[in-house]
Amino acid sequence: MGAFTGKTAVVTGASSGIGRAVALRLGEAGAHVFAAGRREEALAATVAEVVAAGGAATAVPADLRDPGEVQGLVDRAVAGTGRLDVMVNNAAVSYRSPLTDGDPEAWREMLEVNVLALAVGSTAAARAMRACRAEGHIVNVSSSSTRLEAPGFYGATKTAVNAVTATLRQELQNDTIRVVTVTPGLTATNLGRHRPDLMRGLAASLGEETGPSAEGLFPPDVLDRAAAASGPAMARADDVARAVMFAITQPIELSISEIVVQPAMRLALTA
């Protein structure tokens, strides 16, 4: 019997990276995980891994830019299991460029995925948790880019994430629902697929024969190898997942408001 046996969790952005790692950890702990994302094949792989580890999981392909699909994701989890105990809003997109060269459509996508989907998912989860009287946790994944002097547009969306999360934490303090901000530093994930300089560096760290797919994505084992090769300069997705698990396994009387997960060696990155 795991700590989350009989409980239900929703994880967005679960096809790879931090979302995948969190889904695996929750599944191993006994939760029924509803894994959401846009890439159906990758979601199926996440679900298969959860099941292989003895857990239960359901893939929910969704375009999180659509608020109705975000609400539908929460509704499906509740309809399937009768409850919701954990909501992890991890899905994000990142387009990095100087603001003067920015693409408004890229900004729109970042706002829709990074901020709007998270806000809709958080409030939908709060209502579902109240309805089933859960001792629940809402975990919103931010970014260390919010700590830069000039965080760029991506960092601006994550600053908005922090504002939404802090407000919801205050609104729910008298409920049995805790709201957690998890702030990762540089982590080996596919979030940088729209930043070719980072992905080229990742490939180079593993040898010339290793490169991303046509979509600019690396498989999970390659990302883990990259983190291992970087030593203290890059965290693994599972490092962040373990921080999430720590926060959501504390007594409900405690509020773990924020966890910052940084590699020991911090590289000088710009937005």
Side-chain angles (χ1 to χ4, degrees):
M1 297 287 285
F4 288 89
T5 298
K7 296 187 177 182
T8 301
V10 170
V11 181
T12 69
S15 57
S16 68
I18 292 169
R20 168 185 168 273
V22 171
L24 293 178
R25 286 281 178 179
L26 283 164
E28 290 170 357
H32 185 139
V33 181
F34 286 78
R38 278 190 279 186
R39 294 187 292 123
E40 293 189 36
E41 186 176 340
L43 279 179
T46 297
V47 167
E49 287 186 82
V50 172
V51 172
T58 301
V60 186
D63 182 352
L64 300 178
R65 294 172 297 182
D66 181 348
E69 293 202 28
V70 180
Q71 179 67 58
L73 168 62
V74 171
D75 291 344
R76 180 168 177 182
V78 173
T81 64
R83 60 183 304 106
L84 181 64
D85 302 276
V86 179
M87 178 79 186
V88 181
N89 291 295
N90 163 74
V93 292
S94 172
Y95 296 96
R96 308 291 182 105
S97 68
L99 286 180
T100 51
D101 297 329
D103 177 359
E105 288 307 311
W107 297 344
R108 184 193 304 276
E109 185 177 359
M110 284 191 280
L111 285 168
E112 290 176 341
V113 176
N114 301 3
V115 184
L116 181 60
L118 176 141
V120 173
S122 295
T123 53
R127 290 190 293 269
M129 290 173 185
R130 279 174 166 169
C132 70
R133 299 185 178 181
E135 292 188 351
H137 286 85
I138 298 169
V139 179
N140 292 337
V141 179
S142 183
S143 168
S144 60
S145 66
T146 59
R147 296 165 181 248
L148 297 174
E149 181 178 357
F153 201 91
Y154 171 75
T157 67
K158 289 298 189 176
T159 300
V161 164
N162 293 348
V164 169
T165 307
T167 301
L168 191 63
R169 182 182 301 123
Q170 185 179 71
E171 289 183 5
L172 296 177
Q173 63 184 343
N174 294 323
D175 290 82
T176 57
I177 304 170
R178 300 294 164 253
V179 184
V180 184
T181 306
V182 174
T183 304
L186 183 60
T187 306
T189 73
N190 281 310
L191 184 63
R193 63 187 177 276
H194 300 301
R195 190 168 175 179
D197 58 328
L198 287 182
M199 301 312 276
R200 283 195 298 268
L202 183 58
S205 73
L206 296 171
E208 294 182 1
E209 77 285 354
T210 303
S213 69
E215 297 176 294
L217 304 173
F218 288 96
D221 63 311
V222 172
L223 293 170
D224 286 343
R225 282 166 45 210
S230 75
M234 185 181 293
R236 296 176 304 134
D238 188 59
D239 296 329
V240 183
R242 287 186 291 110
V244 171
M245 295 303 293
F246 171 80
I248 66 177
T249 53
Q250 300 309 303
I252 204 66
E253 294 79 15
L254 296 179
S255 174
I256 307 299
S257 300
E258 180 180 12
I259 296 183
V260 179
V261 185
Q262 293 271 20
M265 181 186 297
R266 301 184 189 180
L267 301 181
L269 295 177
T270 62

